Amino acid sequence: MPERVFDLKGARVWVAGHTGMVGSALLRRLASTDVGEIITATSAELDLRQQAPTHAFVQDQRPDLAIIAAARVGGIQANRNAQGSFLYDNLMIAANAIEACRLAGVSKVVILGSSCIYPREAPQPIPEEALLTGPLEPTNEGYSVAKIAALELAKMYRRQFGLDAISLMPTNLYGPGDNFDLETAHVLPALLRKVVEAAREERRYIEVWGSGRPRREFLHVDDLADATVYAIEHYSDEQHLNIGTGEDISIAELARLVAEVVGWEGEFWFDPSMPDGAPRKLLDVSRMQELGWSAAIPLSDGIEMVLAERSITDGEADLPETSSGEAGRRRFPRALQ
Ligand code: GFB
């Protein structure tokens, strides 16, 4: 195991975006470490798109470690329909948060991106070096450009100001607290909801967008949270790191797997009028493996874990409440209460 480069013991940790799927997984994971204090603010308390309140918050709270898990996220259709908002919101969140951390002297900053930063036709599996080597996938160009800008800002602030910022690029995520709204969800929660509802209503068919041929890699968000803590403790460099499982599956195969886990035996209708998006996005995860970390949750187990969530099995599938986790000593800033 590589040497420890950051000690979480007693650290004051700001998790930006703690109510989201990634942020709440981070709170669950951090609860089993010996961090000193977890600092959070909801988006109603602190709008990270606003520079002055973001800078004031970080100056006031003075975290030792900041994990920037706040983002505007969504599936292929949400991205395609709101490219400008995905670019603006994510750009502002990243710029304000990173600059605020630099000004407040935060010891370590973690930037979370996405595998969609890579060119549409990147070699597979995609090595980190493929960044900025070709045109992006058009359905999520706004989101990708914002995430590329964030990782470049982190890299340049490391070079110019010595900020210890690391950037992690997870593949497609799923898990508890996911978005199950069919218009804006990613494929896995969307298919899970469609199959659960078809089983409940004894329907024989469900609709799957696109051709079913694109391939995707799916990482359980608890694995991402574990990788994040591992990278915080063991990594400090400007090179961004891919986080994934190293395995992918076609959308048609995913639909069959979800049906199998749910125990539904119907058929799939593919809708070619809906976009396929990138043909494939399998990450090369050798850098993280060499550092000593690998994903632990197999896809079928992960789907079962999500299925066990009350929210999609109790008949109230739309937009389940995101959990803010049980991270123990959380403290809301007095001024924002
Ligand atoms: O997960 P998804 O929305 O995002 O879609 P991307 C993945 C694939 O699943 C696409 C197909 O080929 C979709 O056409 N698909 C089939 C479905 N049925 C459905 C369905 O019911 N709902 C959805 N959503 N898809 C997003 C990016 O791309 O992934 C973001 O737009 C981000 O920027 C995120 O990177 C991780 O993998 O295509």
Side-chain angles (χ1 to χ4, degrees), residues 74-77 79 114 116 139-140 143 172 182 185-188 190-191 194 207-210 214 216 251 275-278 281:
I76 191 166
Q77 189 71 333
N79 263 270
S114 162
C116 73
T139 55
N140 57 35
Y143 185 71
N172 287 35
L182 294 181
H186 289 96
V187 61
L188 198 152
L191 289 181
K194 287 179 185 177
E207 209 175 80
V208 178
W209 295 355
R216 294 289 183 273
I251 298 303
D276 265 349
K281 297 194 275 190

Side-chain angles (χ1 to χ4, degrees), residues 3-321:
E3 65 170 309
R4 203 169 280 256
V5 294
F6 186 89
D7 193 0
L8 282 168
K9 189 168 191 299
R12 290 168 56 74
V13 184
W14 174 35
V15 179
H18 72 289
T19 59
M21 181 174 75
V22 172
S24 38
L26 284 163
L27 293 196
R28 288 194 297 276
R29 178 64 185 82
L30 288 168
S32 63
T33 67
D34 49 6
V35 295
E37 193 164 15
I38 297 192
I39 301 158
T40 58
T42 63
S43 54
E45 292 165 332
L46 174 65
D47 182 347
L48 292 167
R49 294 169 302 181
Q50 304 293 325
Q51 187 188 53
T54 304
H55 287 197
F57 174 81
V58 181
Q59 273 302 338
D60 180 48
Q61 294 299 316
R62 300 252 162 196
D64 302 304
L65 168 69
I67 310 176
I68 315 302
R72 181 187 185 117
V73 298
I76 191 166
Q77 189 71 333
N79 263 270
R80 194 173 67 153
N81 291 343
Q83 300 262 10
S85 303
F86 273 79
L87 175 51
Y88 180 81
D89 288 354
N90 289 309
L91 208 49
M92 297 308 286
I93 291 169
N96 290 337
I98 295 169
E99 173 71 346
C101 289
R102 176 184 81 82
L103 292 172
V106 175
S107 305
K108 187 157 192 157
V109 182
V110 182
I111 309 302
L112 288 160
S114 162
S115 58
C116 73
I117 59 164
Y118 293 113
R120 176 183 161 86
E121 304 296 340
Q124 307 287 327
I126 312 173
E128 284 89 351
E129 290 77 7
L131 184 69
L132 294 173
T133 56
L136 298 165
E137 158 59 34
T139 55
N140 57 35
E141 209 165 348
Y143 185 71
S144 315
V145 167
K147 290 298 180 181
I148 293 170
L151 84 84
E152 290 292 328
L153 188 62
K155 182 173 82 183
M156 288 167 193
Y157 269 28
R158 174 181 282 274
R159 289 180 187 172
Q160 188 181 347
F161 302 113
L163 181 72
D164 181 4
I166 60 169
S167 296
L168 308 178
M169 298 297 129
T171 191
N172 287 35
L173 299 169
Y174 70 99
D178 213 335
N179 170 15
F180 291 89
D181 174 52
L182 294 181
E183 292 299 311
T184 55
H186 289 96
V187 61
L188 198 152
L191 289 181
L192 199 48
R193 176 174 178 173
K194 287 179 185 177
V195 169
V196 164
E197 289 183 346
R200 188 185 300 140
E201 294 157 17
E202 297 183 4
R203 278 188 279 115
R204 292 286 310 139
Y205 303 97
I206 70 156
E207 209 175 80
V208 178
W209 295 355
S211 66
R213 283 193 298 272
R215 298 184 70 82
R216 294 289 183 273
E217 178 185 11
F218 296 97
L219 181 73
H220 193 282
V221 71
D222 287 346
D223 268 337
L224 172 65
D226 192 56
T228 303
V229 167
Y230 190 88
I232 289 164
E233 291 182 320
H234 300 289
Y235 187 72
S236 174
D237 215 331
E238 67 172 46
Q239 174 65 58
H240 65 277
L241 294 174
N242 289 342
I243 316 282
T245 61
E247 285 172 25
D248 66 358
I249 179 171
S250 75
I251 298 303
E253 287 164 342
L254 174 72
R256 279 194 290 275
L257 179 62
V258 169
E260 197 183 302
V261 172
V262 174
W264 176 75
E265 290 181 347
E267 286 174 38
F268 302 104
W269 281 348
F270 293 92
D271 178 359
S273 71
M274 295 302 279
D276 265 349
R280 199 176 180 195
K281 297 194 275 190
L282 176 64
L283 292 178
D284 180 339
V285 291
S286 35
R287 271 204 168 88
M288 266 310 267
Q289 280 175 349
E290 279 157 26
L291 204 62
W293 185 89
S294 303
I297 305 174
L299 182 55
S300 54
D301 291 5
I303 295 172
E304 268 175 36
M305 286 156 71
V306 178
L307 191 60
E309 263 194 285
R310 209 176 58 85
S311 47
I312 40 164
T313 50
D314 67 358
E316 290 171 17
D318 43 3
L319 290 173
E321 291 276 309

